[in-house]
Amino acid sequence: MNTFLPLGKYSFGMGDRFAHQGKAQLQACILATELGASFIPVWNKSNREHTFIGTEPASTRGAADAAVSALGWQQPYHVDADHIRLETVDRFIPHSDFFTIDVADSIGKPPAPASLAAFVARHPELIGTIAIPHIDQPFHTTREYVEKIAGKFLLAVQEAGVIYQHIAKAKGAANFITEVSMDETDSPQTPPELLIILAAIADEQIPIQTIAPKFTGRFNKGVDYVGDLTQFEKEFTEDLAVIAFAIQKYGLPASLKLSVHSGSDKFSIYAPMRRTLQKFDAGVHIKTAGTTWLEELIGLAEAGDDGLEIAKEIYAYAIEHVDEFCAPYASVIDIDKAKLPSAAAVNGWSSTQFVDALRHDQKNPGYNSSFRQLLHVSFKVAAKKGDRYLNALKKHETVVARNVTENLFVRHMKPLLLGQ
Ligand SMILES: [Zn+2]
């Protein structure tokens, strides 16, 4: 296996769309570390986000370095080129030390018949009865099954290998962390599929440290998990068991762990995740992004005056363009249009009403998950406001930062690792 830059056991991916919340986000990691929940911060921004907002990867690195030096953070931290492909990776290479290779588009495309035959011949252990510690029932697989599943995933993994080699050549294998993501696809990968995928990743010599499968249930943007909690816990357990097994079997890095994308705000699965991680003494990477942009809006609304005014303007524009903004995210939002208040109604809201509707507190009767999801996908509106938005963030920095830190620390890091 190639050398690699090691990633800490628990790591927390944070998105900072406008690059103004680095310190507030890092402060959450500092508070968690003080309580014994040590999360390594990873600032992630996808190519899509950079394109929507009109920023360059150097700005993510700059904001991360500035936050780390301002707060004197002594532990590692990383900058993740999120969801990159061969055609988009190059501008990230000088600035990132964590690469999320997204090969979901190639899932289901057939590999070369010879390479498929070679894979099946190389892996007789995948055929028959596969007993994996901590999974009650052994898997029973046939040659046809392995051919079918490898036929679905092998080309995608080979592409990940090409992208990995491209980065390693430019940067040196020892200088970065590799994640492979398959979350943006139609159906969840089953545990036997995950095992086959990991066998193929090992064949490609990718020193993978995080893998982002698609899990069962809905991982909507910025709101709670929707799905069968028992089934989720079973699959999460089996995924961890498969990963532990594959590390041994295929010599993958011992630090290999799951990466949970759209991991923010999934409050109802944090307890099952924490139980399962403890059982396996396993690490995890939680990837969040837009939850921080929503805290910026909450902070601005809470500040009142011009802050509240700009938050209302953003909503008014968003509701006018609701179909356009929601279209690219159709599979990751569930908005009930009947529950979206009119722009006129929101214009009459007090600071408290706006904050109550937006803040992710399901016990608050004013909370409105449709309102929250629409604003989640409307960050382009703030980007269009340019300096006016950024100046409002600066002017109301204290109240915005308090919301950003509290959201990550209290609602995410504590329940994930400390169970409180
Ligand atoms: Zn993702």
Side-chain angles (χ1 to χ4, degrees):
M1 194 55 62
N2 290 298
T3 56
F4 54 87
L5 179 68
L7 174 62
K9 186 171 184 179
Y10 303 111
S11 44
F12 203 95
M14 308 180 290
D16 184 9
R17 304 228 194 275
F18 300 99
H20 277 59
Q21 306 310 328
K23 279 192 287 177
Q25 293 175 318
L26 186 57
Q27 185 60 30
C29 295
I30 291 172
L31 293 172
T33 301
E34 282 168 6
L35 291 183
S38 183
F39 277 109
I40 298 300
V42 180
W43 278 279
N44 46 252
K45 199 164 185 179
S46 67
N47 190 62
R48 185 167 65 180
E49 263 181 277
H50 278 297
T51 308
F52 278 175
I53 298 176
T55 47
E56 286 293 326
S59 64
T60 315
R61 165 59 68 185
D65 289 349
V68 163
S69 92
L71 299 190
W73 177 256
Q74 298 292 332
Q75 295 185 64
Y77 65 102
H78 306 289
V79 176
D80 175 5
D82 199 9
H83 286 285
I84 51 86
R85 299 183 49 80
L86 194 57
E87 57 274 21
T88 50
V89 68
D90 284 340
R91 67 170 171 154
F92 290 88
I93 287 178
H95 311 292
S96 288
D97 59 353
F98 187 128
F99 292 83
T100 297
I101 300 175
D102 181 347
V103 288
D105 280 353
S106 298
I107 294 172
K109 292 187 186 158
S115 70
L116 177 59
F119 176 84
V120 178
R122 201 160 47 236
H123 291 287
E125 80 286 357
L126 291 171
I127 299 168
T129 300
I130 308 170
I132 294 179
H134 303 289
I135 297 183
D136 297 342
Q137 300 292 325
F139 302 129
H140 299 286
T141 62
T142 60
R143 171 174 290 269
E144 291 68 37
Y145 173 81
V146 174
E147 276 170 0
K148 187 179 119 202
I149 302 306
K152 187 173 170 192
F153 291 103
L154 192 57
L155 185 77
V157 173
Q158 288 168 341
E159 275 189 21
V162 171
I163 300 168
Y164 167 76
Q165 293 297 345
H166 178 81
I167 302 164
K169 202 171 151 213
K171 223 179 155 69
N175 298 318
F176 67 99
I177 292 155
T178 304
E179 167 163 329
V180 174
S181 69
M182 299 190 168
D183 59 311
E184 295 188 357
T185 185
D186 300 336
S187 50
Q189 295 91 27
T190 64
E193 286 176 349
L194 183 61
L195 183 62
I196 291 169
I197 291 165
L198 290 173
I201 286 174
D203 286 352
E204 288 293 321
Q205 299 283 308
I206 303 170
I208 185 176
Q209 290 187 79
T210 53
I211 183 155
K214 183 178 174 73
F215 295 103
T216 189
R218 296 275 295 179
F219 280 71
N220 287 332
K221 296 279 177 194
V223 293
D224 205 348
Y225 177 77
V226 182
D228 180 339
L229 290 176
T230 311
Q231 180 63 20
F232 173 83
E233 187 163 0
K234 178 174 179 281
E235 285 186 17
F236 197 76
T237 303
E238 292 183 351
D239 284 349
L240 289 181
V242 165
I243 285 175
F245 182 77
I247 289 169
Q248 296 298 324
K249 192 102 191 158
Y250 301 117
L252 290 164
S255 47
L256 173 61
K257 57 186 181 173
L258 285 173
S259 173
V260 181
H261 284 211
S262 298
S264 82
D265 298 280
K266 303 298 171 289
F267 303 148
S268 61
I269 55 171
Y270 292 168
M273 281 171 60
R274 185 173 49 82
R275 276 197 295 273
T276 316
L277 293 169
Q278 278 176 348
K279 185 168 140 192
F280 286 86
D281 192 23
V284 73
H285 182 65
I286 300 292
K287 202 171 279 197
T288 79
T291 196
T292 286
W293 129 255
L294 290 175
E295 295 303 324
E296 285 182 344
L297 277 183
I298 289 167
L300 291 174
E302 197 181 305
D305 298 330
D306 57 329
L308 178 61
E309 200 176 296
I310 202 166
K312 286 176 176 177
E313 280 175 33
I314 289 170
Y315 181 73
Y317 193 89
I319 183 113
E320 227 175 89
H321 297 79
V322 56
D323 293 323
E324 174 197 333
F325 287 172
C326 292
Y329 298 97
S331 62
V332 284
I333 48 177
D334 276 316
I335 291 177
D336 179 353
K337 278 197 197 166
K339 298 227 168 82
L340 288 172
S342 69
V346 172
N347 271 331
W349 279 2
S350 67
S351 181
T352 309
Q353 280 173 298
F354 198 105
V355 170
D356 285 354
L358 188 52
R359 187 178 278 146
H360 197 183
D361 174 4
Q362 288 157 291
K363 290 197 192 93
N364 188 321
Y367 170 64
N368 183 331
S369 72
S370 294
F371 181 75
R372 184 172 163 87
Q373 289 177 87
L374 174 58
L375 283 168
H376 191 291
V377 299
S378 301
F379 58 92
K380 266 200 275 186
V381 187
K384 265 169 74 171
K385 294 201 179 290
D387 280 345
R388 218 184 120 220
Y389 182 72
L390 300 181
N391 288 336
L393 290 182
K394 280 181 211 149
K395 181 175 170 193
H396 302 294
E397 184 183 343
T398 312
V399 55
V400 169
R402 173 165 44 72
N403 280 287
V404 168
T405 302
E406 189 175 292
N407 174 50
L408 295 179
F409 174 56
V410 177
R411 291 197 279 277
H412 293 84
M413 295 175 179
K414 279 174 93 177
L416 270 163
L417 283 194
L418 302 163
Q420 45 181 291

